[in-house]
Amino acid sequence: MDFDLTPEQEQIRKLARDFCDAEVAPGARDLDRTEAFPEELLPRLFEVGFLSAAIPQEYGGMGLDFLSYGLVVEELGRADASIRSLVSVNVSLVSSILLNWGREEQKRAWLPRLSTEGLGAFGLTEPDHGSDPSAMETSARRDGDEWVLNGSKMWITNGSRGILTVVFAQTQPGSGARGITAFLVPQDIPGYEGRAIHGKLGLRAGDTAAITLTDVRVPDAARVAEVGDGMKIALSALDNGRFSLAAGCTGISQACLDASVGYAAEREQFGKTIAHHQLIQELISDTFLDLEASRALYWKVAWKHQKGERHTIESSVAKTFCSEAAVRNADRAVQVHGGYGYSDEYPVGRYLRDARVTTLYEGTSQIQRLLLGRHLTGVSAFV
Ligand SMILES: Cc1cc2nc3c(=O)[nH]c(=O)nc-3n(C[C@H](O)[C@H](O)[C@H](O)COP(=O)(O)OP(=O)(O)OC[C@H]3O[C@@H](n4cnc5c(N)ncnc54)[C@H](O)[C@@H]3O)c2cc1C
């Protein structure tokens, strides 16, 4: 594996870094404070191409290689994890489903729109079914050339401010995971209601929605792949989503390191800057250790992806480690900042609140360990 970036990858990282420093990071505190959706930033994210970073150019995207996409996501994570999250879902979950599973007409209909116009959402989780989506209750019933969808989804990123939701629904009651099918559901269709969830601990600028589907009718042409393929589709998308999440968490860890080093060089206690105190150096060094390991792990996923190999395990390892490292690092950064870290005068409190969700979504840390445990022992301990 080559750790040197190509000139093009260096260039894209610089573009992302400059953009994030100039246009994303400066507004992050206010968006967090006011729980405001980034109305003004969204068109800029489309313009600069980050919302279509890994979508091929023939479908209106930026056509970046996987590592370049990861570098963009890392920079977004460093600047504002709320913004990173909406980009990751649009690109890694929704667009990747269309690219890998969609029919040509579905790709042509939706990918250019997701690259320029509006956000996509991934509707798997339900109020009563999170870690075990195979038990989902949302149903899709065939009626002639149409499907009729009923049910509810919970915690859906981009679910009320987007244009499309990939809805997973049970089409063969009683058959569990094997009966789940994916549908492309426009968010402006009659019977679709997305309500923004407020009061979140973090990712407060992101749109997280509770969705109700009441007799939503979509044509059979909105079905993705075959009836019963839904769980395979969701899991393969999560291989990409977990990569993006790992890259974003690496960005949070980098932000924690930068903030801690900067503060340690300024803040004086006992007659010298706190950087002189060995225990502060320990906090900063441990942050760096976790950061370096995080970056190596998500780069490894990109390396496998670019060779055309499956990376379910590598994505799971990177997701688990990078998310837990981001939580540890954000906690260390608050510690380095002392009492000032506890107010939003400094960004480290937001890093901690934003990092906290990353060990929960796209498979909790417990679920990741069950996946890895099954891989290592051959024994499934899920139920
Ligand atoms: C901000 C945010 C954004 C999100 N975005 C999306 C999205 O875009 N699309 C989407 O579909 N979902 C999304 N989610 C949902 C997220 O993926 C779920 O919250 C997550 O999968 C966990 O499900 P749950 O919350 O129902 O927890 P539960 O499944 O109820 O888990 C509760 C606890 O039990 C543990 N647990 C469960 N089963 C086991 C087991 N077998 N062994 C050991 N421990 C177990 C879990 O690890 C956890 O600690 C989002 C969530 C949040 C908070």
Side-chain angles (χ1 to χ4, degrees), residues 85 89 93 121-132 154-158 200 202-203 208 357 360-367 370 381-383:
S85 188
V89 171
L93 296 178
F122 175 83
L124 184 67
T125 305
E126 300 191 349
D128 294 332
H129 307 284
S131 297
D132 180 15
M154 188 65 187
W155 305 117
I156 307 304
T157 306
N158 303 338
K200 286 177 295 174
L203 299 190
T208 310
V357 75
L360 299 174
Y361 65 10
E362 300 204 20
T364 64
S365 280
Q366 286 72 34
I367 293 300
L370 294 179
F382 277 90
V383 286

Side-chain angles (χ1 to χ4, degrees), residues 84-115:
R84 192 284 302 165
S85 188
L86 68 85
V87 170
S88 286
V89 171
N90 198 57
V91 177
S92 293
L93 296 178
V94 180
S95 300
S96 86
I97 287 176
L98 282 157
L99 276 172
N100 296 325
W101 297 88
R103 287 188 286 277
E104 193 53 32
E105 316 83 78
Q106 294 173 328
K107 293 181 196 181
R108 301 238 166 251
W110 284 108
L111 288 173
R113 294 188 64 191
L114 294 170
S115 302

Side-chain angles (χ1 to χ4, degrees), residues 309-325:
E309 292 177 16
R310 239 186 119 170
H311 46 78
T312 302
I313 294 302
E314 289 78 5
S315 284
S316 175
V317 169
K319 191 271 180 191
T320 309
F321 186 88
C322 298
S323 60
E324 294 178 2

Side-chain angles (χ1 to χ4, degrees), residues 10-44:
E10 290 283 9
Q11 210 179 346
I12 194 74
R13 179 161 69 176
K14 181 171 180 336
L15 170 79
R17 190 165 287 170
D18 292 348
F19 178 86
C20 287
D21 286 345
E23 302 196 37
V24 182
R29 181 172 71 176
D30 280 350
L31 290 175
D32 177 61
R33 269 188 184 169
T34 55
E35 289 193 68
F37 186 73
E39 302 280 3
E40 286 167 23
L41 185 57
L42 194 62
R44 291 289 297 132

